[in-house]
Amino acid sequence: MPLYSITAEEGVLSPDTKAALAAEITMFHSEMAAVDKKFVKIFFSSVPKGDAYVAGEAAAAVSLTLLIRSGRTPDYKRNMLQQLWNILKRATNASDSEILLAIQEAPASNAMELGKIMPDL
Amino acid sequence: MPLYSITAEEGVLSPDTKAALAAEITMFHSEMAAVDKKFVKIFFSSVPKGDAYVAGEAAAAVSLTLLIRSGRTPDYKRNMLQQLWNILKRATNASDSEILLAIQEAPASNAMELGKIMPDL
Amino acid sequence: MPLYSITAEEGVLSPDTKAALAAEITMFHSEMAAVDKKFVKIFFSSVPKGDAYVAGEAAAAVSLTLLIRSGRTPDYKRNMLQQLWNILKRATNASDSEILLAIQEAPASNAMELGKIMPDL
């Protein structure tokens, strides 16, 4: 972990934008969490127009969910959300009403990476 | 939040069905949770035939996962599941064995929407 | 539950590999968790080349996330991760750096299947 899942309507994120966004998020997360970049995994998925809804209406919505180890402080998570929001907003030009960020948490030892189960801290 | 993710095999949900289902779920959730509709975000994703499995066999499975703020009572969640089940069953005509609903929870302050981090209640 | 979500780059998992992998995981999970196979649901999703990133670079990453009922012991989860890792590595031939496994947990009563809300144990 972290595991980022970023979902947007087709066409919102060009291949170049995805590559730049992945690089920026990876650098940001690696520095903020003090983890090696190799732990940062990001998956983009796109949905056809008409498959994303806000307020019951089809919309060019963008969601970013982020699975991290549990135990981070509320201040840490708040800071992370705010910075990811800025990064995502710049990359997508989406309006505030179309973006959702959410952090999900699991014990570090619920994840296995690089052949090892992560230690709980 | 809420963030709904609804996954089904290609063809199970027509564009019209998705639009109607999104409208119905949004209205339902907004009323039950007493939140403005603008907070309700729904993403549909479809998988090709042969990419969904139940009991080890390819099946026209439908999953609905729902990320909400933690702190709701078991009765609230039970009621929500039951009503979503009815809504989804009517929309998909799926058999009971093909449907999975699951609520996931995160502190409200783990989410950022409309430019703001949600307050914990 | 369990609900498995396996994401890989297009082409990493052939249709035959997915079917075999779904059968193997279902058998494994059913035995280890002592639940009927009919509760095991698996969704594969594939992303185009260039939509998965490890360490900020496009990579043939594979993620397996698994939603189970909360309450399992750390030893149980550790054992499950290790065995799923072996299964997934054999099926994908991915390198250790490209695979992420993560267990997510929710109360059993947060899920509805086969028309029933699961009892908390």
Side-chain angles (χ1 to χ4, degrees):
Chain A
M1 301 194 283
L3 174 61
Y4 280 85
S5 302
I6 301 171
T7 303
E9 267 198 7
E10 280 170 6
V12 169
L13 296 169
S14 72
D16 284 355
T17 300
K18 283 186 269 199
L21 187 53
E24 184 176 8
I25 287 175
T26 300
M27 181 70 69
F28 157 70
H29 195 104
S30 171
E31 287 179 2
M32 182 163 178
V35 296
D36 194 290
K37 289 196 298 178
K38 68 192 173 190
F39 288 104
V40 182
K41 293 186 179 66
I42 301 173
F43 288 84
F44 290 95
S45 66
S46 58
V47 298
K49 258 191 195 301
D51 279 4
Y53 291 81
V54 177
E57 302 285 339
V62 178
S63 74
L64 181 155
T65 60
L66 167 57
L67 182 62
I68 65 171
R69 71 166 180 81
S70 48
R72 296 295 193 177
T73 65
D75 271 359
Y76 173 95
K77 292 185 283 181
R78 180 177 297 270
N79 189 4
M80 179 164 276
L81 285 170
Q82 186 68 63
Q83 295 197 50
L84 286 171
W85 182 274
N86 296 341
I87 291 171
L88 199 61
K89 216 166 143 55
R90 262 200 317 271
T92 60
N93 288 315
S95 73
D96 281 356
S97 65
E98 293 168 331
I99 303 179
L100 170 66
L101 300 191
I103 294 174
Q104 294 183 284
E105 297 168 89
S109 60
N110 274 24
M112 187 162 180
E113 295 177 276
L114 294 164
K116 292 192 179 138
I117 294 167
M118 297 294 105
D120 286 317
L121 298 183
Chain B
M1 302 194 284
L3 173 62
Y4 280 84
S5 302
I6 301 172
T7 303
E9 268 199 6
E10 281 169 6
V12 169
L13 297 169
S14 72
D16 283 355
T17 300
K18 284 186 269 199
L21 187 53
E24 185 176 6
I25 287 175
T26 300
M27 182 71 69
F28 158 70
H29 194 104
S30 170
E31 286 178 4
M32 181 163 179
V35 296
D36 195 290
K37 290 196 296 176
K38 68 191 173 189
F39 289 104
V40 183
K41 293 185 179 66
I42 301 174
F43 288 84
F44 291 95
S45 65
S46 58
V47 298
K49 259 190 196 299
D51 280 5
Y53 291 83
V54 176
E57 303 285 338
V62 178
S63 74
L64 182 156
T65 59
L66 167 56
L67 182 62
I68 64 171
R69 71 168 180 79
S70 47
R72 296 294 193 178
T73 66
D75 271 359
Y76 173 95
K77 292 185 284 182
R78 179 177 298 270
N79 189 4
M80 179 164 276
L81 285 170
Q82 186 67 62
Q83 296 198 51
L84 287 171
W85 183 275
N86 296 342
I87 291 171
L88 198 61
K89 216 166 142 56
R90 263 200 316 273
T92 60
N93 289 314
S95 73
D96 281 356
S97 64
E98 293 168 330
I99 303 178
L100 170 66
L101 300 190
I103 294 175
Q104 294 183 283
E105 297 168 90
S109 60
N110 274 23
M112 187 162 179
E113 296 177 275
L114 293 166
K116 291 191 181 140
I117 293 167
M118 298 293 104
D120 285 317
L121 298 184
Chain C
M1 301 195 281
L3 173 63
Y4 280 85
S5 301
I6 302 172
T7 304
E9 268 197 7
E10 280 170 8
V12 168
L13 297 170
S14 72
D16 284 355
T17 300
K18 284 186 270 200
L21 187 53
E24 184 176 7
I25 287 176
T26 301
M27 182 71 68
F28 157 71
H29 196 103
S30 171
E31 288 179 4
M32 182 163 178
V35 297
D36 195 289
K37 288 196 297 176
K38 68 191 173 191
F39 288 105
V40 183
K41 294 185 179 67
I42 301 174
F43 288 85
F44 290 95
S45 66
S46 59
V47 298
K49 259 190 193 304
D51 279 5
Y53 291 82
V54 176
E57 303 285 338
V62 178
S63 75
L64 182 156
T65 59
L66 167 57
L67 182 62
I68 64 171
R69 71 168 180 80
S70 46
R72 296 294 194 178
T73 66
D75 271 358
Y76 173 95
K77 292 186 284 181
R78 180 177 297 270
N79 189 4
M80 179 163 276
L81 285 171
Q82 185 68 61
Q83 296 197 51
L84 287 171
W85 183 273
N86 296 341
I87 290 171
L88 199 61
K89 217 167 140 56
R90 262 200 317 272
T92 60
N93 289 314
S95 72
D96 281 357
S97 64
E98 294 167 330
I99 303 178
L100 170 67
L101 299 191
I103 295 175
Q104 295 184 283
E105 298 169 89
S109 62
N110 274 24
M112 188 163 178
E113 295 177 276
L114 293 165
K116 291 192 180 137
I117 294 167
M118 298 293 106
D120 285 318
L121 299 184

